[in-house]
Amino acid sequence: MCFTIALGRLYYLHVHEQSKLEQIAENNRKQFSVLAAKRGNIVDSSGNLLATTKSSITIGVDPHSADSTDIAKIKKLSKYLNVPVQVIIAKFDKQFISGSHSKELKKCRWQKLASSIDEDVYKQIKALKIKGVYGNRKFERTYPGGSLASHLIGFINKEGNSVMGTERFMDYYLRGQDGWRETERDGRKREIAQFRTREVQAKDGLNIRLTIDQVIQSAIEEELKVIAEKYTPKGATIIVSEPKTGYILGMGNYPDFDPNSFWKSPIDSHRNRALSDIFEPGSTFKIVPTSAALNEKIVKVNDRFNCSLEKVKYKGRSVKLPSDHHKYKMLSVKDIVIKSSNRGAALMGMMVGENKMYEYARAFGFGTRTNLGLSGEVSGILHPVKKWDGLTITRLPMGHAIGVTAMQIHNAMAVIANHGVLMKPTVFKQVFDDSNRPIIAFSPKVKHRVVSTITADAMVDMLKEVTKEGGTASMAGIKGFEVAGKTGTTQKIINGRYSKNHHVASFIGFLPANDPRIVITVIVDDANSRGIAYGGSIAGPSFKNIAKQVIRHMGILPSPSRVQSIAANQTSITQPGL
């Protein structure tokens, strides 16, 4: 009977359960492990580290593999892990745990002792040779600058997925390719290296060099903190770029977040307002109708308009003109720009006509995405002519009846600074490997010419007067430098009506005016100020603060007239007889 039972059991195991048991044995003997690839770095234009990956090790113990003779070493292990001795001993002694779906006890093969252990500490732990204690290595993304350029960089979430910014857009290059290893292990689950059958090494990710400059980016974010403390706005954006290349040297938003602990910030702060928030640009848009009228040779700089009129005839009907902040009579085209006359802009817009106004607005980049390469960008609002109402032709030239992003209006001003040519903006400069060998280079790219060089230069001459005494942005002027720019003060629409207490203040300018090196945009949404939050008084000073720091950092020389004046003074001092 005993032999019959034994033979029956053997038959059952070797025939009926053969495939199942062979699979269990195979799984116990074979070991398949993934070799994780290291994610590439993100650096600024000078190579300063903005995002990197560090290896992190989680230390644990297999209680069933632990040896009682190693208990004496636990004191040192406690010191390395910064974990109390009693806690470690308790985890060494935990032999069984309850099942997740039943009360049945099963062997405990892993108890975590500590996480985020550095490689150097792990080497010291391995030197202790405590049986059953081992570590699992994983890579953690870290951002040395904290919140610096957070909207440009993005972050990696807890699931290891890239979210927004460079992390998402350049994920294909950054993530690399995981490897894998298939081998055998003995009864104690130790690898038998000579039985490795297949091994594919991981290929680490490539690195990304951005166009931004860490010094300029830091200056932007410091100024945003000043704006936030002084005006407690709903939001603010500052952009700095090179007009000749389209390279973004810095872009910051308030509020921002720390990608190292992104979950601690409201989801609203993750939004890149420079690309996602739409607002009416107001007077900064007046460069479009003015440039269009000059470029089409409809007007000349010194042509005069009667800005005291409240209504005019347009295509056989009476059209009401927008009001101005001050009462004006006859203003030249130049004065309309300097004094930012709404009526003057409307009159020029009507001379240009609906179709041409729409075409020029599109040519300047409105109504389409800039394709900067960062997530969350919107195209703004620019309705086709067939959807215009009777007042659009008078309201669009003054920056109403249109929705733009900060990046769009910044690009439009860069067209004037770049002698009438629209460049494709970018924050990516290069993809390179660990040997610093370039793989892909992102060169400046011309999109198209918007206006002639003559028109752009005429606009520059008028915009220079805006920052001088008597202009709307005298607070943005910088001694020794010719600054060109335009202010914007837009009433926000609250409950379907334009509010007298809520504004978007902006100033966009460039310098040196005759040979621009930088374009700077400052936009403050709903600044808490006494009276109207004018662009010249709210955004102008911030423009000036940023520009001064960029001038020093980039070594931008004063305007030629200023240099000649300094040289003349030096000559008179060194040669008093002349």
Side-chain angles (χ1 to χ4, degrees):
M1 186 179 294
C2 290
F3 277 114
T4 301
I5 293 171
L7 288 170
R9 179 63 176 168
L10 286 172
Y11 178 83
Y12 174 77
L13 293 174
H14 284 270
V15 178
H16 286 280
E17 296 290 303
Q18 181 185 17
S19 59
K20 179 181 177 182
L21 294 175
E22 282 181 347
Q23 187 63 46
I24 292 173
E26 183 75 8
N27 291 341
N28 286 334
R29 186 169 59 87
K30 293 287 185 182
Q31 183 180 27
F32 183 88
S33 55
V34 175
L35 305 177
K38 185 179 179 182
R39 193 172 180 85
N41 296 331
I42 301 174
V43 301
D44 79 339
S45 58
S46 300
N48 298 307
L49 205 58
L50 300 174
T52 189
T53 300
K54 66 176 184 179
S55 61
S56 173
I57 300 166
T58 300
I59 303 293
V61 61
D62 179 353
H64 286 273
S65 300
D67 192 332
S68 58
T69 59
D70 289 329
I71 297 297
K73 302 176 183 177
I74 288 182
K75 194 170 183 180
K76 284 188 176 180
L77 180 63
S78 169
K79 181 180 177 182
Y80 291 144
L81 299 179
N82 197 24
V83 176
V85 173
Q86 295 304 320
V87 173
I88 294 177
I89 292 175
K91 294 192 176 184
F92 267 67
D93 291 339
K94 194 164 186 177
Q95 300 286 319
F96 297 92
I97 57 174
S98 58
S100 57
H101 300 292
S102 67
K103 295 182 180 179
E104 180 185 357
L105 293 178
K106 62 179 185 179
K107 285 185 178 181
C108 176
R109 307 299 310 207
W110 169 260
Q111 280 288 293
K112 187 174 81 170
L113 300 176
S115 58
S116 300
I117 302 300
D118 293 333
E119 291 281 353
D120 293 339
V121 176
Y122 184 48
K123 287 179 182 177
Q124 293 175 309
I125 292 171
K126 286 200 297 184
L128 294 176
K129 297 182 178 180
I130 303 175
K131 291 182 180 179
V133 173
Y134 62 97
N136 294 321
R137 183 179 284 100
K138 67 175 183 177
F139 292 117
E140 289 183 352
R141 198 64 164 166
T142 183
Y143 304 90
S147 61
L148 185 74
S150 56
H151 294 106
L152 291 174
I153 298 170
F155 60 91
I156 303 296
N157 65 17
K158 292 184 177 181
E159 288 73 37
N161 299 320
S162 55
V163 180
M164 67 179 286
T166 303
E167 293 281 26
R168 181 175 179 179
F169 188 78
M170 303 299 280
D171 181 67
Y172 176 79
Y173 301 104
L174 287 166
R175 69 170 180 259
Q177 187 173 356
D178 291 341
W180 54 278
R181 176 188 296 155
E182 188 176 341
T183 186
E184 291 188 14
R185 54 189 178 183
D186 63 14
R188 294 187 178 182
K189 296 187 176 182
R190 295 175 300 187
E191 182 191 1
I192 308 175
Q194 62 267 33
F195 288 105
R196 286 185 186 175
T197 54
R198 296 178 185 174
E199 182 173 8
V200 177
Q201 291 296 326
K203 188 175 182 180
D204 291 341
L206 297 169
N207 308 302
I208 306 297
R209 190 185 308 279
L210 302 182
T211 60
I212 70 167
D213 186 307
Q214 184 172 275
V215 174
I216 295 175
Q217 185 67 33
S218 297
I220 287 173
E221 299 196 11
E222 286 300 317
E223 187 61 30
L224 285 169
K225 289 177 183 177
V226 173
I227 291 172
E229 185 177 347
K230 190 173 182 179
Y231 299 114
T232 60
K234 286 187 177 180
T237 296
I238 298 177
I239 304 171
V240 179
S241 75
E242 290 180 340
K244 295 177 182 178
T245 61
Y247 287 163
I248 305 298
L249 303 181
M251 176 191 290
N253 300 282
Y254 165 81
D256 61 3
F257 67 98
D258 186 346
N260 292 302
S261 52
F262 61 89
W263 60 90
K264 294 181 180 179
S265 302
I267 192 70
D268 183 60
S269 66
H270 295 178
R271 191 171 78 248
N272 189 344
R273 295 169 184 268
L275 303 176
S276 64
D277 284 20
I278 298 174
F279 61 98
E280 287 188 332
S283 296
T284 52
F285 187 81
K286 289 173 183 172
I287 61 174
V288 176
T290 310
S291 297
L294 290 171
N295 203 58
E296 293 294 321
K297 297 181 173 55
I298 297 170
V299 300
K300 296 179 181 178
V301 173
N302 294 318
D303 286 355
R304 295 167 66 82
F305 291 83
N306 187 355
C307 296
S308 65
L309 300 174
E310 294 184 2
K311 293 182 179 181
V312 294
K313 288 286 185 180
Y314 181 70
K315 291 186 176 180
R317 58 188 175 86
S318 180
V319 178
K320 186 178 179 180
L321 295 175
S323 60
D324 280 323
H325 295 295
H326 303 282
K327 290 184 178 181
Y328 300 118
K329 292 183 179 180
M330 299 299 293
L331 292 178
S332 65
V333 172
K334 183 177 181 179
D335 290 331
I336 289 171
V337 174
I338 297 170
K339 299 181 183 298
S340 197
S341 169
N342 293 333
R343 286 183 179 174
L347 291 169
M348 279 193 289
M350 286 188 287
M351 292 180 71
V352 172
E354 288 100 333
N355 292 324
K356 283 293 182 180
M357 268 300 302
Y358 176 79
E359 289 173 11
Y360 272 94
R362 291 282 293 187
F364 269 95
F366 297 106
T368 59
R369 295 178 183 176
T370 64
N371 292 322
L372 187 62
L374 301 178
S375 55
E377 184 176 16
V378 298
S379 58
I381 301 170
L382 177 61
H383 295 298
V385 176
K386 62 182 180 181
K387 291 188 177 181
W388 288 16
D389 61 24
L391 288 176
T392 302
I393 188 61
T394 64
R395 299 310 188 258
L396 181 64
M398 59 178 279
H400 284 197
I402 183 174
V404 308
T405 66
M407 193 68 242
Q408 286 175 333
I409 194 67
H410 178 89
N411 258 17
M413 185 62 77
V415 168
I416 304 301
N418 194 35
H419 308 293
V421 176
L422 177 65
M423 301 296 295
K424 183 183 184 302
T426 182
V427 294
F428 308 117
K429 198 168 190 178
Q430 190 183 70
V431 178
F432 64 99
D433 61 17
D434 288 336
S435 301
N436 212 29
R437 183 170 59 93
I439 306 299
I440 301 173
F442 298 92
S443 303
K445 184 178 179 181
V446 176
K447 296 189 80 170
H448 54 257
R449 176 169 287 281
V450 181
V451 295
S452 68
T453 302
I454 295 173
T455 299
D457 291 346
M459 288 298 302
V460 170
D461 289 338
M462 290 186 281
L463 293 172
K464 286 193 295 188
E465 301 300 319
V466 173
T467 61
K468 295 180 180 178
E469 197 66 35
T472 57
S474 58
M475 297 177 74
I478 301 172
K479 189 175 181 180
F481 290 85
E482 285 193 321
V483 178
K486 191 73 188 74
T487 57
T489 307
T490 310
Q491 292 175 293
K492 295 183 68 176
I493 298 176
I494 307 294
N495 298 324
R497 302 185 67 179
Y498 284 104
S499 171
K500 294 182 179 180
N501 302 316
H502 301 275
H503 301 83
V504 176
S506 59
F507 180 78
I508 309 169
F510 52 88
L511 61 91
N514 294 325
D515 185 21
R517 293 278 305 279
I518 54 169
V519 182
I520 302 174
T521 294
V522 180
I523 295 172
V524 183
D525 181 10
D526 215 352
N528 185 12
S529 64
R530 294 180 181 179
I532 298 175
Y534 288 109
S537 58
I538 299 295
S542 291
F543 169 91
K544 184 176 183 177
N545 293 338
I546 295 292
K548 283 183 173 180
Q549 295 183 66
V550 176
I551 287 168
R552 287 194 295 269
H553 176 61
M554 295 181 65
I556 300 174
L557 297 175
S559 300
S561 58
R562 177 64 176 168
V563 173
Q564 291 169 6
S565 174
I566 293 171
N569 289 336
Q570 290 175 340
T571 302
S572 64
I573 292 171
T574 54
Q575 301 181 43
L578 296 178

